[in-house]
Amino acid sequence: MTMIPRFRAGLCLAAALVLAGCGFGHRMPEHECMERAMYFESNRSSRDGMVAVGSVVMNRVQSGQYPRSVCGVVAQKNQFAPGIMKRKMNLKTAPKVREAARSVLRGERHPLVGNAMFFHTAGHRFPYDNMHYVLVTGGNAFYEKRRNYLVTRPVPPHPIEGITGR
């Protein structure tokens, strides 16, 4: 009989951690979650690419359609790089990550990302007709989902030297 209350308590704790957006075993500060998103998603590229990834994360946090925390967004299943919350980072190979993450958390946003909440590896093509591309940088193509008749850029824009930081 005492096993059932303990089991329920364990389930409640696990459920609370998942609902808090951090996932079981992924309690870490917001800045580390943001660093992970930038590190694994921008392939340790330019600061421009890292800030663009961070801008998408923050757009999702503020949208009301995704978890309301940075860690909740980054830890969401099948949304970001596999193992993003568990894999080791080597910040020596990407010294700009920490500064870029903190800057985005303080309010910096990539000016061309706008309201985009999605990106994929640049160079990949998808058959969907609702992807309005706003930027290519850091090895990624950033886009908004729109009704197909509102899409004016169905192909990712070509990165221009000096504008996208490449």
Side-chain angles (χ1 to χ4, degrees), residues 30-47:
E30 274 197 333
H31 69 86
E32 186 174 341
C33 294
M34 182 63 78
E35 288 170 8
R36 290 179 164 281
M38 292 176 170
Y39 182 88
F40 290 111
E41 292 293 355
S42 67
N43 297 318
R44 295 157 298 284
S45 70
S46 65
R47 185 180 188 284

Side-chain angles (χ1 to χ4, degrees), residues 128-134 143-155:
Y128 311 115
D129 63 357
N130 66 339
M131 299 165 80
H132 176 82
Y133 290 94
V134 296
Y143 64 96
E144 300 172 353
K145 286 185 180 177
R146 294 183 176 181
R147 291 196 167 107
N148 62 353
Y149 59 87
L150 296 174
V151 172
T152 58
R153 277 188 255 158
V155 177

Side-chain angles (χ1 to χ4, degrees), residues 14-31:
L17 287 171
V18 169
L19 290 174
C22 296
F24 189 70
H26 295 300
R27 297 274 305 151
M28 59 183 66
E30 274 197 333
H31 69 86

Side-chain angles (χ1 to χ4, degrees), residues 119-126 133 135-142 155-159 166:
F119 62 92
H120 62 73
T121 302
H124 286 180
R125 297 282 187 256
F126 296 93
Y133 290 94
L135 174 68
V136 174
T137 189
N140 293 307
F142 296 82
V155 177
H158 182 58
R166 303 265 303 171

Side-chain angles (χ1 to χ4, degrees), residues 75-93:
Q76 257 194 316
K77 190 174 182 168
N78 299 323
Q79 294 295 305
F80 291 92
I84 194 167
M85 300 302 283
K86 296 178 183 176
R87 290 173 29 204
K88 284 191 158 235
M89 293 189 297
N90 180 355
L91 294 179
K92 290 178 184 172
T93 63

